[in-house]
Amino acid sequence: MKQIVLSAMLLAISLSVMAVAEPVKIGLITTLSGPGSHLGEDVRDAFRLAIERGEGTLGGIPVELVVEDDGLRPQTGVQIAERMRERDGIGIMTGIIFSNVAMAVVPRLVRGGAFYISANAAPSQLAGSGCHPNYFNAAYQNDNLHEAMGQYVTDVGHRNAYILAPNYPAGHDALAGFKRFYQGDIVAEVYTQLNQNDYAAELAAIRAANPESVFFFKPGGMGINFVRQYAQAGLKDRIPLYGPGFSFDERLLAAVGDAALGVINSAQWNWDLDVPGNAEFVAAFREAYGRTPTLYAAQGYDAAQLIGSGLAAVNGDISRADALRTALLAADFPSVRGEFRFGNNQHPIQHIYARQVVRAENGGLTNQIVGQIFSDHVDAYAAECSM
Amino acid sequence: MAEPAALLHVEGLSKHFGAVTATDNLNLHIAPGELHALIGPNGAGKTTAVAQIAGELRPDSGQIVFAGHTITDWPIQRRVKLGLARSYQITSLFPQFTALDNVALAVQAHQGHSLRAWRNAHRDPRLREPARLWLEKLGLAGRDEIPAAELAHGEQRQLELAMALATNPRLLLLDEPMAGMGSEDSQRLISLLRSLKGDYTILLVEHDMDAVFALADRITVLVYGQAIACDTPQAIRANEQVRTAYLGEQDV
Amino acid sequence: MLLLLEQILNGLQFGFMLFLLAAGLTLVFGIMHLLNLAHGSLYMIGAYTAATVTAATGHFSLGVLAALLVTALAGMLLEAGVFRRLYQREHLDQVLATFAVIFTVNELTRILWGRAPLYLDIPPALAGTIEIIPGAPYPVYRLLIIAVGALVALGLYVLINHTRLGMLIRAGASNREMVGALGANIKLLYTLVFGLGALLAGLAGALAGPILAIEVGMGENILILTFVVVVIGGIGSVRGALLGALLVGLTDTLGRAFLPGLFALVLPPAPATAAGSSLASITIYLLMVLILVFRPQGLFPVQGQHGA
Amino acid sequence: MARKPLIIFLGLAILLLLPIYAAATNDLYLLSLSSRMLIYALAAVSLDLLIGYGGMISLGHAAFFGLGAYVGGILAFHYQEFSLFFGLLPGSNQALIVWPLAVLISALAAAVFGLISLRTSGAYFIMITLALAQMLFFLFTSFSTYGGEDGISLWQRNDFPYLDLDNRYHFYYLCLGLLVGFVGLCQRLVNSRLGMVIRASKQNERRLRALGINPLPYRLVWLTIAGAGAGLAGVLLMNHSHYVSPALLHWTQSGELMVMVILGGLGTLYGPILGAMSLLLLEEWLNQYTEHWQLVLGPLLLLVVLFARRGLYGLLAGRGARDG
């Protein structure tokens, strides 16, 4: 009798061990082809690094990462998410870089009961009225960095600003965000064509207007074009240029070159941020991939750690959705940003720093924190979220 | 001025390509029912003249009057509606269509209603029956379902003529209908054209002198775009100027 | 008024940039009747090569030279391997085959060079600005682009109208058999012409490198604009490409510079900005439509391609 | 050729029975994927009307596809937000209102595009259709009311009498029914008097003119019909993915549709269906195995264009592949 009980107990134990050993699948949909694919690469690499450093686990729970390329096409993103969800039974996803892909994928996904942890894309609709209990953003709300620049340019004392962005929703949000915190006059608000190459016309207009400062938002290749042409037109020494950190990540800086040297930009993280664990992350990333992590890499890493904290709380059983949600909302993980907490709309409440582009020891360009603009900044859409 | 009853008047037609004068002050008058031949050495401007009458080329100057209308500036399709039809020197068909489809389309062009999008045109007796008759008349009976591209060269020429006739024209412009034909086919075509004579007014451009002299009521001789003579076959044969300029070489 | 002058200069510069791309595209079309969507890929290869070689050697001039060589070579290889089979085909096949080449070249570039954009800077000697318009220092490098564009236009004019090769090119465009009869090796001629077209695309890429982002997809981005230029000018006409490029460059630049301001005269600021910038982004398409309504074959129609 | 009806019968049988297989294996994703294929097949067939039958090589077909999707998206957007279109018209979620409207507007747009582009031919036509579609792409990208580049995300599919479109089986069979209906319609079109003129204009325009038919008005009608078909596919896709964005109008989307037509078999009505399905399956499959899927797809496509001109359907059905 004793033996039977013992063997039954052993069986139960081995079963539960097996249940634990079955890794939790995490879907990472990201942009690996098309312009802007280095952002996806950074998020993916950092996410992988987090798993490697956990020796195949996140938060002690074995995980399997399924990576797929959305090609910056919303329809492809939808299709991948659907397959991951329905055929592979994946309940947690992350990785989307661009707002348009996120808007196509996320609302339906979370309504269907899956969890989505954003490592970058943060459209305003999903932070405000479109917020959802299963949607967490581990990066920021899109407007955060623009708002910080608005504050910074005010603090520096520029009495007026000339502001530019591409003619699309993120561009409109960017300038709205800047204006939300900027106290001076707006000389002109200019929207350029998406994927515009040449900015000679806009630069000539800036010179003619002679403002005290210029703020721009130009993601990806557009930013390279704009910053370079700004310097080449001889404007950089006459009118200070400001922008969000998006156009000044280390990989873009390598392409922009000295034209960006000295520019102040905003970000919620930098490699030299002095918080516990950050130096180790930066060193491990450099070791693994031979380059300095960008803010996107930090977001990917934090997203992984956040997921890990949630998985640990439910011991890998993501069907316990309420418990998982509570654990994720607690955000009890060692963020490379330092202290990390969520607001009511499940977007970060966090510090935003001013960074300056400086020359690195190896002769290349990098960012260095020169001050803090916001502390515990709450995004502008939190109030619209009914959660 | 020639007889006012003529179906086609061409007055002072001229066309230049750069420095080359392709048509030089051409006058032409074709009476109803007449078979009028247009001959001349290679490069004399015969095809250019036909193209202007058909409406594919705009003349630089001159006037074309057809059935009482001045059609010089009309687009092709308007001329066709008035009863002008042409065949091409180089075979011009719808190669993927069957022989019957080719003619049926010509019938359709004449009937109109081409915007009808529902009824199956391949089973429309109003198109198929006249088309089949024309094929028969031109000796293509039994070849209905062969794609035009797969017909023998002679058959393609016959088909081309069938299409021109299917538009029910008042004036047929035939641009070298016998080009590239074997003698047997040519003979058949000659007798066919003879049978059409009288019912149709025909402007025939042809290199085959046997055919021309056997068929034509009158002949216009074109050299360097200029009409050097216009007369009955007998008179043309006797014309010194024509002999030296053109016929002499050919040993008529 | 000075601003207008400066913007006109900007428009000319942008136009000449487009011309470098459009010239190769239209040349290849005019002679081989090949519609090459992959022209943008050659432009990208040029930019990547220039950036890589300049970074390795430290000399921009070497980078440009390498870009010319590599793109001409890549062009000729593509011609011999793929495009040659397309000359007698319909445009449809050409569009699809060259669409496939875009996919392939983009992915290869991503594998070879990685996903991050590359760096290429203006050489120090050309880095400054000159005040050719009082009060508006103009980048020397952009003046250089105008100069190169004008030189290429002149060079092509001389090549096509006053050389034996040009004579063959012109003859080849109108009559293949005749060229064959002249004893010229038409295959070689086509390969050379394609190489020349590719070289021009490479030149454009190398020169654009220091101004624009060097990244995968840069070619497609500018390709559509180049198409508009070529269509406006008349497909196959180098003269047309020049005029078309300058028209597009000026229209686009002036539209961007002044349309929002014009709208602001009649509308409140927010809608004026919105309407102005939206309209500015499509001015060149409107220009194209307008020109084609009056000249369906473009400004300089090329003989012998009606309905081709 | 007995092979052709056999293939069509088999194909239709597979499509009809697929949901049963999906139910048996509990693979809902298969249904979603197949519905998507049917929708793209519809768009590809409409493009083949232009390219394969009419010889009008349009590289801007995505414009009508995307426009159809946007009409549905905009109406659903106003329905969701309880707002008015231009302050005038209310939104709607009724498929029987939205879909015909989407078809109508796409057809209208096609007619307008046609008035501009059909004056030209050959390479000009290709480039102009491309540029016109890009123009629309930029307009929608900057149109912030409707989400601009971020597009419109929708809460639910349209309401359809007696059907629940959010039910995968219902939606699948509806898509299948519409595709079969559209192919049937095309079959009639292609063989009608209008179809004869269009096909003739592709083979020999000069001869057609000499017969007294100016192909222009017929081409315009044809382009309008093709645009309507693409618009229907667009509004279906908007329902399928609960989402609309300018990416649907992008020129690469037009290129993709064109690839489907060629891959399947030009100038046939069944080829594009096969092409759409194969391409989507291929993309789906490659994407899972390598992130460098374009490196496989590119050369593969090149080989098809260079050496397998008749496409998959031509290979399967043999010589008799041509319809009508």
Side-chain angles (χ1 to χ4, degrees):
Chain A
M1 190 63 199
K2 240 182 179 177
Q3 269 194 332
I4 295 173
V5 171
L6 197 66
S7 58
M9 277 174 67
L10 273 174
L11 190 70
I13 288 168
S14 63
L15 275 177
S16 71
V17 167
M18 271 170 65
V20 169
E22 179 76 12
V24 176
K25 282 186 178 175
I26 297 170
L28 190 135
I29 304 168
T30 198
T31 302
L32 294 171
S33 56
S37 53
H38 78 273
L39 278 65
E41 195 177 31
D42 272 12
V43 166
R44 180 198 62 186
D45 288 352
F47 206 99
R48 279 190 178 152
L49 182 69
I51 297 175
E52 274 164 31
R53 294 188 78 201
E55 288 165 351
T57 74
L58 285 177
I61 308 295
V63 294
E64 181 190 337
L65 189 66
V66 182
V67 178
E68 226 170 297
D69 172 23
D70 62 39
L72 223 176
R73 297 191 299 180
Q75 296 294 339
T76 309
V78 170
Q79 195 179 341
I80 296 171
E82 220 170 69
R83 188 178 62 241
M84 285 182 169
R85 178 88 184 107
E86 289 169 8
R87 192 170 272 177
D88 306 329
I90 296 176
I92 300 188
M93 290 180 214
T94 181
I96 295 174
I97 299 297
F98 292 95
S99 293
N100 56 347
V101 183
M103 282 307 294
V105 171
V106 173
R108 241 180 111 198
L109 196 65
V110 293
R111 280 205 299 274
F115 282 85
Y116 187 82
I117 318 297
S118 180
N120 189 58
S124 52
Q125 282 141 303
L126 296 181
S129 56
C131 66
H132 192 278
N134 280 11
Y135 171 71
F136 293 84
N137 195 308
Y140 35 46
Q141 199 285 313
N142 270 359
D143 296 9
N144 288 170
L145 304 192
H146 310 301
E147 292 165 345
M149 259 3 263
Q151 184 65 48
Y152 185 87
V153 175
T154 308
D155 294 346
V156 171
H158 293 305
R159 281 167 302 178
N160 60 46
Y162 195 105
I163 59 180
L164 311 93
N167 196 8
Y168 78 127
H172 300 191
D173 284 355
L175 297 193
F178 180 86
K179 289 193 289 184
R180 206 172 286 136
F181 284 82
Y182 180 61
Q183 313 279 325
D185 297 327
I186 300 296
V187 178
E189 182 176 344
V190 173
Y191 293 99
T192 56
Q193 192 178 336
L194 194 64
N195 294 329
Q196 184 170 319
N197 286 309
D198 192 84
Y199 291 98
E202 288 77 8
L203 294 174
I206 291 176
R207 180 185 294 113
N210 199 23
E212 287 193 10
S213 64
V214 171
F215 170 79
F216 78 104
F217 166 60
K218 305 272 169 197
M222 287 182 278
I224 302 179
N225 297 342
F226 185 80
V227 176
R228 271 201 193 165
Q229 292 170 22
Y230 192 81
Q232 287 161 8
L235 285 170
K236 195 179 151 219
D237 305 326
R238 294 178 46 195
I239 307 165
L241 182 68
Y242 300 94
F246 308 123
S247 291
F248 299 93
D249 75 56
E250 274 70 14
R251 299 182 78 179
L252 281 181
L253 283 179
V256 177
D258 287 357
L261 197 62
V263 175
I264 304 282
N265 63 90
S266 53
Q268 79 285 17
W269 176 87
N270 198 41
W271 62 269
D272 66 352
L273 187 63
D274 187 18
V275 299
N278 191 31
E280 289 81 357
F281 159 65
V282 172
F285 191 94
R286 281 180 176 153
E287 161 92 30
Y289 305 109
R291 57 178 198 263
T292 296
T294 61
L295 72 161
Y296 310 109
Q299 291 159 199
Y301 194 77
D302 271 359
Q305 304 244 73
L306 172 65
I307 291 173
S309 73
L311 291 179
V314 296
N315 196 23
D317 181 5
I318 59 169
S319 64
R320 292 165 58 194
D322 288 334
L324 180 57
R325 200 175 295 124
T326 312
L328 288 171
L329 193 55
D332 184 15
F333 70 97
S335 166
V336 293
R337 270 170 269 182
E339 212 181 306
F340 185 103
R341 66 193 170 96
F342 281 121
N344 65 312
N345 59 351
Q346 303 183 159
H347 282 60
I349 295 179
Q350 59 188 343
H351 307 328
I352 312 276
Y353 304 93
R355 310 188 299 182
Q356 185 165 30
V357 179
V358 296
R359 196 170 299 287
E361 285 156 21
N362 65 4
L365 295 178
T366 190
N367 284 291
Q368 185 181 314
I369 291 186
V370 292
Q372 183 171 337
I373 305 172
F374 287 139
S375 55
D376 293 330
H377 181 63
V378 181
D379 68 83
Y381 304 94
E384 291 171 32
C385 170
S386 53
M387 288 193 302
Chain B
M1 288 296 283
E3 57 276 53
L7 182 65
L8 180 76
H9 291 281
V10 173
E11 304 279 353
L13 202 68
S14 291
K15 179 80 188 168
H16 307 272
F17 296 112
V20 182
T21 304
T23 309
D24 188 359
N25 195 26
L26 177 69
N27 296 310
L28 208 58
H29 305 279
I30 303 179
E34 180 185 354
L35 197 158
H36 194 115
L38 190 62
I39 64 171
N42 275 330
K46 302 180 298 267
T47 298
T48 310
V50 170
Q52 290 169 80
I53 298 169
E56 288 171 353
L57 277 178
R58 246 344 84 92
D60 294 337
S61 60
Q63 206 182 32
I64 304 168
V65 180
F66 175 61
H69 298 268
T70 303
I71 61 167
T72 321
D73 294 320
W74 286 22
I76 302 172
Q77 51 272 16
R78 219 173 142 197
R79 299 182 197 215
V80 176
K81 291 232 161 58
L82 202 60
L84 249 173
R86 71 165 300 183
S87 77
Y88 286 88
Q89 178 181 358
I90 297 162
T91 309
S92 182
L93 300 163
F94 303 105
Q96 289 157 22
F97 281 174
T98 63
L100 190 62
D101 283 342
N102 267 278
V103 186
L105 187 66
V107 175
Q108 181 183 330
H110 179 63
Q111 279 181 8
H113 309 300
S114 289
L115 277 175
R116 286 189 184 163
W118 188 248
R119 278 188 65 185
N120 192 331
H122 297 290
R123 295 196 203 113
D124 186 344
R126 297 209 306 134
L127 297 176
R128 307 310 266 187
E129 273 161 25
R132 214 165 264 132
L133 283 178
W134 281 116
L135 282 182
E136 243 164 68
K137 187 157 186 185
L138 281 137
L140 288 168
R143 307 292 279 163
D144 299 12
E145 294 306 322
I146 312 288
E150 290 170 27
L151 290 173
H153 179 74
E155 291 176 321
Q156 290 182 343
R157 305 298 309 184
Q158 285 160 275
L159 181 58
E160 176 115 34
L161 199 53
M163 288 167 71
L165 289 167
T167 61
N168 205 13
R170 297 162 76 179
L171 174 65
L172 260 179
L173 305 171
L174 302 180
D175 195 356
E176 302 201 20
M178 281 151 214
M181 271 193 181
S183 65
E184 198 179 318
D185 286 339
S186 297
Q187 282 313 314
R188 216 171 47 223
L189 197 61
I190 289 173
S191 58
L192 179 77
L193 287 177
R194 190 172 285 128
S195 74
L196 297 174
K197 246 184 96 165
D199 295 340
Y200 294 91
T201 312
I202 298 173
L203 177 64
L204 173 72
V205 174
E206 186 50 66
H207 266 299
D208 183 337
M209 288 303 132
D210 292 341
V212 167
F213 282 93
L215 291 167
D217 298 314
R218 286 193 307 154
I219 297 174
T220 296
V221 182
L222 217 56
V223 175
Y224 296 122
Q226 223 166 10
I228 58 167
C230 174
D231 218 325
T232 60
Q234 294 83 345
I236 290 291
R237 214 188 288 267
N239 187 318
E240 267 316 306
Q241 204 185 349
V242 175
R243 291 184 83 86
T244 49
Y246 174 45
L247 293 180
E249 308 157 15
Q250 290 215 355
D251 204 17
V252 175
Chain C
M1 195 56 218
L2 285 181
L3 184 62
L4 178 65
L5 268 183
E6 190 184 354
Q7 296 294 25
I8 287 173
L9 197 60
N10 283 329
L12 287 178
Q13 181 265 321
F14 188 41
F16 273 112
M17 190 83 192
L18 288 175
F19 169 70
L20 288 180
L21 266 172
L25 193 66
T26 209
L27 198 65
V28 166
F29 186 89
I31 291 153
M32 282 92 92
H33 298 191
L34 176 77
L35 194 57
N36 181 14
L37 294 190
H39 197 66
S41 298
L42 293 163
Y43 164 80
M44 178 177 72
I45 292 174
Y48 269 88
T49 310
T52 310
V53 173
T54 307
T57 62
H59 291 286
F60 180 66
S61 49
L62 285 180
V64 174
L65 205 65
L68 297 182
L69 281 175
V70 169
T71 45
L73 204 68
M76 289 194 275
L77 279 176
L78 276 172
E79 199 270 349
V82 180
F83 296 145
R84 181 175 291 174
R85 295 164 208 278
L86 295 170
Y87 295 154
Q88 304 292 344
R89 296 284 197 90
E90 296 172 48
H91 288 318
L92 176 64
D93 290 4
Q94 301 174 348
V95 166
L96 282 161
T98 52
F99 191 59
V101 169
I102 292 181
F103 272 131
T104 315
V105 173
N106 274 352
E107 199 58 59
L108 278 176
T109 308
R110 202 171 292 129
I111 291 172
L112 281 176
W113 275 287
R115 292 188 171 87
L118 294 197
Y119 172 71
L120 178 61
D121 204 4
I122 296 177
L126 300 169
T129 52
I130 315 181
E131 232 169 272
I132 47 170
I133 300 170
Y138 203 77
V140 176
Y141 190 76
R142 284 182 184 260
L143 291 175
L144 175 83
I145 289 179
I146 297 183
V148 172
L151 269 179
V152 167
L154 193 71
L156 282 175
Y157 173 79
V158 172
L159 175 77
I160 292 173
N161 293 301
H162 297 288
T163 66
R164 189 178 143 73
L165 180 67
M167 190 198 76
L168 286 174
I169 287 175
R170 275 179 296 147
S174 50
N175 193 339
R176 274 159 216 255
E177 287 78 27
M178 197 186 96
V179 178
L182 286 175
N185 182 343
I186 192 121
K187 266 192 174 174
L188 182 68
L189 175 70
Y190 282 1
T191 307
L192 284 178
V193 171
F194 199 93
L196 177 64
L199 180 136
L200 289 173
L203 178 65
L207 288 181
I211 300 185
L212 306 181
I214 303 174
E215 58 180 348
V216 173
M218 64 188 287
E220 287 84 87
N221 215 343
I222 205 161
L223 179 75
I224 312 275
L225 275 184
T226 313
F227 270 3
V228 173
V229 165
V230 169
V231 166
I232 286 179
I235 310 177
S237 160
V238 175
R239 227 172 11 148
L242 179 61
L243 190 65
L246 296 181
L247 264 177
V248 167
L250 283 171
T251 308
D252 188 53
T253 305
L254 296 180
R256 271 156 46 207
F258 298 114
L259 269 180
L262 287 177
F263 273 84
L265 296 178
V266 290
L267 288 173
T273 306
S277 31
S278 291
L279 190 63
S281 67
I282 57 168
T283 43
I284 55 159
Y285 300 106
L286 294 178
L287 173 76
M288 179 185 77
V289 168
L290 201 69
I291 286 180
L292 289 172
V293 165
F294 295 103
R295 310 280 301 242
Q297 304 280 317
L299 295 173
F300 292 99
V302 173
Q303 298 285 326
Q305 273 157 28
H306 306 289
Chain D
M1 296 290 134
R3 256 205 292 174
K4 189 179 141 184
L6 186 70
I7 289 168
I8 294 166
F9 175 77
L10 274 179
L12 192 61
I14 292 173
L15 289 176
L16 278 171
L17 296 177
L18 193 81
I20 299 176
Y21 173 78
T25 54
N26 195 22
D27 190 355
L28 275 179
Y29 177 68
L30 180 64
L31 273 186
S32 169
L33 180 68
S34 327
S35 306
R36 191 186 154 84
M37 286 179 180
L38 294 173
I39 294 168
Y40 270 94
L42 183 54
V45 171
S46 76
L47 178 60
D48 193 33
L49 281 184
L50 286 184
I51 301 181
Y53 290 96
M56 291 172 257
I57 306 171
S58 162
L59 196 45
H61 207 57
F64 317 129
F65 187 52
L67 208 55
Y70 256 105
V71 171
I74 288 172
L75 287 171
F77 171 81
H78 288 297
Y79 176 78
Q80 276 173 204
E81 310 265 310
F82 304 107
S83 55
L84 296 176
F85 177 70
F86 278 115
L88 294 171
L89 298 168
S92 171
N93 204 38
Q94 295 299 324
L96 293 189
I97 298 172
V98 174
W99 297 11
L101 207 59
V103 168
L104 194 73
I105 297 209
S106 298
L108 265 176
V112 172
F113 274 31
L115 282 175
I116 299 165
S117 59
L118 283 173
R119 296 166 46 85
T120 67
S121 60
Y124 284 91
F125 184 78
I126 298 177
M127 293 191 186
I128 287 162
T129 48
L130 169 66
L132 286 173
Q134 276 303 99
M135 186 163 96
L136 220 54
F137 167 77
F138 281 119
L139 277 182
F140 274 102
T141 302
S142 58
F143 207 165
S144 13
T145 316
Y146 302 117
E149 203 206 19
D150 287 353
I152 308 171
S153 188
L154 304 163
W155 283 87
Q156 54 186 347
R157 289 181 178 163
N158 289 138
D159 294 328
F160 200 96
Y162 306 114
L163 291 179
D164 171 14
L165 296 191
D166 280 305
N167 177 315
R168 300 267 173 105
Y169 295 95
H170 289 195
F171 190 69
Y172 175 85
Y173 278 117
L174 184 63
C175 290
L176 183 58
L178 286 172
L179 176 64
V180 169
F182 187 70
V183 170
L185 176 74
C186 291
Q187 193 95 54
R188 297 224 61 128
L189 279 173
V190 162
N191 288 308
S192 69
R193 287 191 181 215
L194 175 64
M196 290 295 284
V197 170
I198 288 296
R199 281 150 66 204
S201 76
K202 184 193 177 204
Q203 294 172 48
N204 192 344
E205 183 178 336
R206 188 173 171 218
R207 188 70 184 98
L208 188 67
R209 285 180 185 276
L211 284 177
I213 298 178
N214 176 4
L216 190 76
Y218 305 103
R219 283 184 171 148
L220 192 60
V221 171
W222 201 252
L223 181 61
T224 307
I225 295 170
L232 177 63
V235 78
L236 283 174
L237 190 68
M238 158 245 150
N239 272 281
H240 180 268
S241 51
H242 293 79
Y243 180 71
V244 186
S245 83
L248 285 180
L249 298 147
H250 197 248
W251 76 278
T252 47
Q253 181 75 65
S254 300
E256 201 175 338
L257 289 176
M258 208 183 234
V259 171
M260 290 171 180
V261 173
I262 295 292
L263 192 66
L266 194 66
T268 68
L269 289 176
Y270 302 101
I273 301 176
L274 206 58
M277 297 190 162
S278 325
L279 185 70
L280 289 178
L281 267 184
L282 192 71
E283 272 184 17
E284 162 96 3
W285 184 74
L286 281 177
N287 208 347
Q288 287 178 64
Y289 287 91
T290 166
E291 62 191 50
H292 298 301
W293 54 276
Q294 293 188 352
L295 196 59
V296 185
L297 194 63
L300 199 69
L301 176 60
L302 198 58
L303 288 178
V304 169
V305 175
L306 288 180
F307 302 111
R309 291 242 42 216
R310 284 161 59 221
L312 292 172
Y313 185 60
L315 293 179
L316 280 177
R319 246 192 63 120
R322 210 155 254 285
D323 307 301

